[in-house]
Each structure stands twice: as C-alpha cells, then as structure tokens.
Amino acid sequence: QGLCFLAPLLSGEGCSLVLKPSRVVVGFGESVTVSCEATRPVRVLGWESAISAVHTQEDQSVQWKVDSLIDWIEEPICYGVFFTAPRQCEEKLNLVLYKTPDSISIRQANHSGPMVEGKEYQLLCEVQNIAPVQYLTLRWYRGQTEVYQHSFSDLTSSSPVQVSSTLVITPAIAENDAEYKCVAELELGPEGPQPPPSLASEPLAVSKPKNSGAEITLNCTATGNPAPVYSWQSPHLIEERMKAEAVITSSSLLPGRYTCTASNTLEKKSKQFIIKEQIKGRGKMYEWLIFVLFFFVFSLRCKLDHLCR
Ligand SMILES: *[C@@H]1O[C@H](CO)[C@@H](O)[C@H](O)[C@H]1NC(C)=O
Ligand SMILES: *[C@@H]1O[C@H](CO)[C@@H](O)[C@H](O)[C@H]1NC(C)=O
C-alpha cells in the first residue's frame, strides 16, 4: 500500500530533530562531522546531501561526515520519519564552506607615473577565488590607518568568486609619500576561526605629487587710479584666498591657462599665463614652465581727473 505524505514538512521548533552543532564553518578541504538527533522515537533518520548521504532505521542519531569537503554543495538536510504525528520533519544544516583568496593585489587603475596634485586617481584591489563572498570585508589602509572598508554582504554566492574594490584618492603636495594596501578578511562568525582568516596585498607606494618644488609666481600687478581690483580664471581650482589677489604664489598650480583681469571703473585689461609641464631627460623630474602669452603693462590711469578725487 503506497503512502503519500501530503502534509508540509515541519521544520524548526516543532521538528523533533537537533543538529549538533547547528552551524558549522569548514575550511576548504577540511573534515566535518555533524550529528542529527531525534528527541522522540523515530522510524527513519537520515541526511539528504549531494555528498555522504546516509540514513538509519530506528536509530536516534545519525552522522553526516565528510573527510575532506571540497564541493560547493547545497546545505545538507537531516530528515526524520516518525511513528507518531507529525510523521515527518526536517532540519537544514547551516553550513559555511569557506576558502581564503588565492591572491590579493593592488594597483593604480587608470594611471601610471607621477601623480598631479588635486586630481583624482583610482586604486584597484582585486581578490581572486574567495568564498563565501558575503562574509568578506575588504579593508583599505594608508600606512597603518584604515581609510575605507568595503563589505560584500549584499552578494550571495557559496562558490568562489573574484571581486574588486576601488579607492579614489586625491594626492596633495602637503602629504607625505604613502603606502596603500588592502586586506581581505573573512568574518565567519563565532563558529569560524578566530581571529578571522585574512590576507593582505603587497603595499603599493604612492609618491606625493611631484613638481620642481619651486614656487610659481603669477604677477598681475597693475597700476591705476582708482586702484584696480583683480580676478582670476582657470580651468583648475584656485584657492579662495588668492582669487582676488594681484599676485598668485603657489607650489601646487596645475598646468593650464590662467587669466587675470585687472579692472577699475574706467578700464579692464587681461593677462594670460600658461603653465606647462616639462619632462626633463629620461627621469621622472617634472618642472614647471611659465609662459606669459600676452604681457600688458597695465596702466589704468584715471582719464578724467576730477571724477577720481
Ligand atoms: C581616474 O578615474 C577617475 C574616476 O573615474 C577620474 O575622475 C580620474 O580623472 C581618472 N584619472 C586619470 C588620470 O585618468
Ligand atoms: C609684481 O610686479 C610689479 C610690477 O612689475 C612689481 O612692482 C612687484 O614687486 C611684483 N610683485 C612680486 C611679488 O613679484
């Protein structure tokens, strides 16, 4: 006589099955043993799994045992068929098979050679073959200081994957040279190894932006009566404090065109400066050249003397 269990399988509290331990964290290739115990008389007790499936007749416990777990399998399920209702139930094992990355590396993503102050650059950290990615945290360090943390908890994959993380940096002349590195850490919970397994990249040296070190002076001084006021225009940012000065002095001006306008109530004149980057010899020496395109000797003299007094 065939028998069909149409009732949904119970799991959780109503299920008289206890897994010991209930959550296991296993390193790739390690052995694992979990026992499933029935808390009331059971007819059949077994493990449903792609590996080491097993069942017993009228035993109160059954073990799921793998000597070297290297398969990215679905979580095994312990099931019981009982003499009394509920006749059948099951309990899923919370199984985490983890693998530390094969490698982790860091590089400049879209640039090589010296950096220019004030520009954005991307550093890329790549992690090969890590599992499960949802437990991974990538930590970025500048020297000893953690500067950014990238979590992958929104991803789900039990088998190994490759992931990457990008850090955007804006080098400043005022900073020192720095070493960046990224560290992959698998935080697997209390059942996992302590401290959490981690792997660090080789450090990446990032030199501070290079220029000759010399200051550049752009002198737009004009004479006039009334005294002229100044303004500067450039595709690059000009520090706020210098925007209305006659003379700009800085060691961090980027190459490009700088236009100064001197004006008073009577006249307006402009002067352009072009800063070019010069690569010297074979080395990485950078020097700055200033080209003054148009040079006006400003003379914003008051033409109607009586109006200017
Ligand atoms: C690198 O990429 C960032 C972001 O996409 C961009 O802002 C920056 O200008 C790039 N840098 C270079 C040197 O291409
Ligand atoms: C700028 O040029 C003016 C006029 O030539 C000069 O008097 C002044 O000293 C210069 N300023 C600087 C800081 O070089």
Side-chain angles (χ1 to χ4, degrees):
Q1 186 185 340
L3 230 173
C4 208
F5 294 101
L6 290 177
L9 296 184
L10 281 177
S11 68
E13 284 188 17
C15 183
S16 323
L17 299 174
V18 179
L19 303 185
K20 290 180 180 171
S22 60
R23 181 175 190 263
V24 277
V25 175
V26 192
F28 186 79
E30 288 176 2
S31 68
V32 55
T33 305
V34 181
S35 97
C36 177
E37 294 174 19
T39 55
R40 60 194 170 103
V42 66
R43 189 189 300 180
V44 179
L45 191 59
W47 282 98
E48 188 184 304
S49 167
I51 302 170
S52 300
V54 60
H55 71 272
T56 61
Q57 305 270 344
E58 300 188 25
D59 259 348
Q60 287 306 107
S61 90
V62 63
Q63 277 194 342
W64 181 70
K65 193 170 185 313
V66 182
D67 289 335
S68 170
L69 188 56
I70 53 169
D71 295 278
W72 306 97
I73 53 170
E74 296 280 304
E75 290 170 319
I77 292 168
C78 176
Y79 60 90
V81 180
F82 297 89
F83 296 105
T84 52
R87 294 248 174 198
Q88 195 168 4
C89 75
E90 62 179 42
E91 199 73 59
K92 195 184 229 180
L93 174 65
N94 185 344
L95 170 71
V96 177
L97 175 58
Y98 73 87
K99 195 190 152 304
T100 52
D102 288 345
S103 69
I104 177 167
S105 60
I106 179 175
R107 62 186 168 91
Q108 286 190 31
N110 58 356
H111 183 77
S112 62
M115 296 183 171
V116 174
E117 155 136 281
K119 279 196 88 172
E120 287 190 342
Y121 296 91
Q122 294 180 338
L123 303 185
L124 185 68
C125 176
E126 289 173 311
V127 181
Q128 311 290 343
N129 263 335
I130 187 155
V133 67
Q134 53 269 40
Y135 295 100
L136 171 67
T137 303
L138 267 185
R139 298 175 194 281
W140 283 91
Y141 290 88
R142 182 181 194 280
Q144 302 299 313
T145 312
E146 188 180 316
V147 289
Y148 182 57
Q149 207 186 93
H150 192 157
S151 158
F152 296 85
S153 53
D154 50 339
L155 299 180
T156 51
S157 170
S158 56
S159 53
V161 293
Q162 172 181 332
V163 290
S164 64
S165 172
T166 302
L167 181 72
V168 176
I169 59 170
T170 312
I173 298 241
E175 290 177 346
N176 295 323
D177 294 353
E179 277 192 346
Y180 286 87
K181 67 177 177 189
C182 62
V183 178
E185 199 172 285
L186 273 174
E187 287 159 357
L188 298 157
E191 297 85 2
Q194 305 298 336
S198 73
L199 189 65
S201 71
E202 290 289 319
L204 174 74
V206 172
S207 312
K208 70 178 198 168
K210 292 266 189 299
N211 68 10
S212 64
E215 293 204 315
I216 296 175
T217 299
L218 307 181
N219 189 345
C220 184
T221 305
T223 55
N225 187 1
V229 294
Y230 301 92
S231 66
W232 289 88
Q233 275 164 340
S234 152
H236 306 299
L237 284 178
I238 296 177
E239 285 177 58
E240 206 59 43
R241 66 178 168 88
M242 301 192 297
K243 271 185 180 161
E245 297 292 318
V247 180
I248 286 188
T249 301
S250 171
S251 59
S252 60
L253 292 175
L254 293 173
R257 184 173 301 219
Y258 293 76
T259 306
C260 161
T261 305
S263 56
N264 66 9
T265 47
L266 301 166
E267 221 179 336
K268 183 187 247 187
K269 285 199 169 174
S270 293
K271 184 175 175 180
Q272 277 193 349
F273 302 83
I274 292 183
I275 299 180
K276 282 195 178 167
E277 201 173 47
Q278 189 189 45
I279 302 166
K280 236 191 178 181
R282 53 210 152 91
K284 287 178 179 171
M285 267 290 289
Y286 279 69
E287 218 172 61
W288 306 95
L289 289 185
I290 311 171
F291 292 80
V292 179
L293 263 201
F294 309 104
F295 187 81
F296 298 110
V297 177
F298 292 113
S299 184
L300 307 176
R301 293 247 173 258
C302 187
K303 286 170 184 162
L304 295 165
D305 265 355
H306 64 279
L307 279 182
C308 303
R309 300 202 188 262

PDB file of all heavy atoms in Angstrom, residues 154-166:
ATOM      1  N   ASP A 154      25.865  42.177   0.489  1.00  0.00           N
ATOM      2  CA  ASP A 154      24.672  42.142  -0.352  1.00  0.00           C
ATOM      3  C   ASP A 154      24.789  41.121  -1.489  1.00  0.00           C
ATOM      4  O   ASP A 154      23.845  40.908  -2.229  1.00  0.00           O
ATOM      5  CB  ASP A 154      24.367  43.546  -0.910  1.00  0.00           C
ATOM      6  CG  ASP A 154      25.583  44.177  -1.549  1.00  0.00           C
ATOM      7  OD1 ASP A 154      26.716  43.754  -1.236  1.00  0.00           O
ATOM      8  OD2 ASP A 154      25.421  45.084  -2.378  1.00  0.00           O
ATOM      9  N   LEU A 155      25.967  40.528  -1.616  1.00  0.00           N
ATOM     10  CA  LEU A 155      26.128  39.490  -2.637  1.00  0.00           C
ATOM     11  C   LEU A 155      25.836  38.125  -2.015  1.00  0.00           C
ATOM     12  O   LEU A 155      25.956  37.945  -0.820  1.00  0.00           O
ATOM     13  CB  LEU A 155      27.558  39.487  -3.177  1.00  0.00           C
ATOM     14  CG  LEU A 155      28.048  40.770  -3.853  1.00  0.00           C
ATOM     15  CD1 LEU A 155      29.485  40.581  -4.316  1.00  0.00           C
ATOM     16  CD2 LEU A 155      27.157  41.124  -5.018  1.00  0.00           C
ATOM     17  N   THR A 156      25.447  37.179  -2.829  1.00  0.00           N
ATOM     18  CA  THR A 156      25.319  35.815  -2.335  1.00  0.00           C
ATOM     19  C   THR A 156      25.922  34.874  -3.359  1.00  0.00           C
ATOM     20  O   THR A 156      25.553  34.874  -4.519  1.00  0.00           O
ATOM     21  CB  THR A 156      23.850  35.405  -2.113  1.00  0.00           C
ATOM     22  OG1 THR A 156      23.130  35.693  -3.301  1.00  0.00           O
ATOM     23  CG2 THR A 156      23.240  36.133  -0.944  1.00  0.00           C
ATOM     24  N   SER A 157      26.879  34.119  -2.904  1.00  0.00           N
ATOM     25  CA  SER A 157      27.453  33.062  -3.723  1.00  0.00           C
ATOM     26  C   SER A 157      28.178  32.142  -2.768  1.00  0.00           C
ATOM     27  O   SER A 157      28.967  32.589  -1.951  1.00  0.00           O
ATOM     28  CB  SER A 157      28.429  33.653  -4.737  1.00  0.00           C
ATOM     29  OG  SER A 157      29.133  32.606  -5.360  1.00  0.00           O
ATOM     30  N   SER A 158      27.871  30.862  -2.844  1.00  0.00           N
ATOM     31  CA  SER A 158      28.579  29.959  -1.933  1.00  0.00           C
ATOM     32  C   SER A 158      29.896  29.512  -2.561  1.00  0.00           C
ATOM     33  O   SER A 158      30.844  29.205  -1.866  1.00  0.00           O
ATOM     34  CB  SER A 158      27.706  28.765  -1.567  1.00  0.00           C
ATOM     35  OG  SER A 158      27.293  28.111  -2.731  1.00  0.00           O
ATOM     36  N   SER A 159      29.979  29.532  -3.909  1.00  0.00           N
ATOM     37  CA  SER A 159      31.219  29.089  -4.544  1.00  0.00           C
ATOM     38  C   SER A 159      32.164  30.273  -4.749  1.00  0.00           C
ATOM     39  O   SER A 159      31.752  31.431  -4.703  1.00  0.00           O
ATOM     40  CB  SER A 159      30.896  28.401  -5.860  1.00  0.00           C
ATOM     41  OG  SER A 159      30.094  29.227  -6.654  1.00  0.00           O
ATOM     42  N   PRO A 160      33.447  30.004  -4.988  1.00  0.00           N
ATOM     43  CA  PRO A 160      34.452  31.084  -5.051  1.00  0.00           C
ATOM     44  C   PRO A 160      34.208  32.063  -6.195  1.00  0.00           C
ATOM     45  O   PRO A 160      33.808  31.665  -7.278  1.00  0.00           O
ATOM     46  CB  PRO A 160      35.770  30.325  -5.275  1.00  0.00           C
ATOM     47  CG  PRO A 160      35.506  28.949  -4.821  1.00  0.00           C
ATOM     48  CD  PRO A 160      34.072  28.683  -5.099  1.00  0.00           C
ATOM     49  N   VAL A 161      34.462  33.316  -5.928  1.00  0.00           N
ATOM     50  CA  VAL A 161      34.302  34.369  -6.932  1.00  0.00           C
ATOM     51  C   VAL A 161      35.512  35.300  -6.878  1.00  0.00           C
ATOM     52  O   VAL A 161      36.331  35.247  -5.965  1.00  0.00           O
ATOM     53  CB  VAL A 161      33.018  35.207  -6.692  1.00  0.00           C
ATOM     54  CG1 VAL A 161      31.778  34.390  -6.920  1.00  0.00           C
ATOM     55  CG2 VAL A 161      33.025  35.817  -5.311  1.00  0.00           C
ATOM     56  N   GLN A 162      35.551  36.164  -7.884  1.00  0.00           N
ATOM     57  CA  GLN A 162      36.584  37.207  -7.930  1.00  0.00           C
ATOM     58  C   GLN A 162      35.885  38.529  -7.673  1.00  0.00           C
ATOM     59  O   GLN A 162      34.848  38.805  -8.268  1.00  0.00           O
ATOM     60  CB  GLN A 162      37.222  37.189  -9.318  1.00  0.00           C
ATOM     61  CG  GLN A 162      38.161  38.338  -9.563  1.00  0.00           C
ATOM     62  CD  GLN A 162      38.747  38.285 -10.966  1.00  0.00           C
ATOM     63  OE1 GLN A 162      38.890  37.216 -11.555  1.00  0.00           O
ATOM     64  NE2 GLN A 162      39.074  39.444 -11.503  1.00  0.00           N
ATOM     65  N   VAL A 163      36.420  39.336  -6.775  1.00  0.00           N
ATOM     66  CA  VAL A 163      35.801  40.640  -6.507  1.00  0.00           C
ATOM     67  C   VAL A 163      36.880  41.725  -6.507  1.00  0.00           C
ATOM     68  O   VAL A 163      38.067  41.439  -6.403  1.00  0.00           O
ATOM     69  CB  VAL A 163      35.058  40.683  -5.150  1.00  0.00           C
ATOM     70  CG1 VAL A 163      33.810  39.837  -5.199  1.00  0.00           C
ATOM     71  CG2 VAL A 163      35.958  40.274  -4.017  1.00  0.00           C
ATOM     72  N   SER A 164      36.412  42.959  -6.627  1.00  0.00           N
ATOM     73  CA  SER A 164      37.362  44.066  -6.579  1.00  0.00           C
ATOM     74  C   SER A 164      36.749  45.257  -5.863  1.00  0.00           C
ATOM     75  O   SER A 164      35.533  45.320  -5.659  1.00  0.00           O
ATOM     76  CB  SER A 164      37.790  44.460  -7.993  1.00  0.00           C
ATOM     77  OG  SER A 164      36.682  44.945  -8.698  1.00  0.00           O
ATOM     78  N   SER A 165      37.598  46.172  -5.486  1.00  0.00           N
ATOM     79  CA  SER A 165      37.168  47.366  -4.771  1.00  0.00           C
ATOM     80  C   SER A 165      38.021  48.524  -5.264  1.00  0.00           C
ATOM     81  O   SER A 165      39.190  48.345  -5.599  1.00  0.00           O
ATOM     82  CB  SER A 165      37.371  47.148  -3.268  1.00  0.00           C
ATOM     83  OG  SER A 165      37.138  48.348  -2.566  1.00  0.00           O
ATOM     84  N   THR A 166      37.412  49.697  -5.331  1.00  0.00           N
ATOM     85  CA  THR A 166      38.129  50.865  -5.834  1.00  0.00           C
ATOM     86  C   THR A 166      38.218  51.919  -4.750  1.00  0.00           C
ATOM     87  O   THR A 166      37.244  52.191  -4.059  1.00  0.00           O
ATOM     88  CB  THR A 166      37.381  51.452  -7.047  1.00  0.00           C
ATOM     89  OG1 THR A 166      37.268  50.435  -8.034  1.00  0.00           O
ATOM     90  CG2 THR A 166      38.136  52.626  -7.636  1.00  0.00           C
TER      91      THR A 166
END
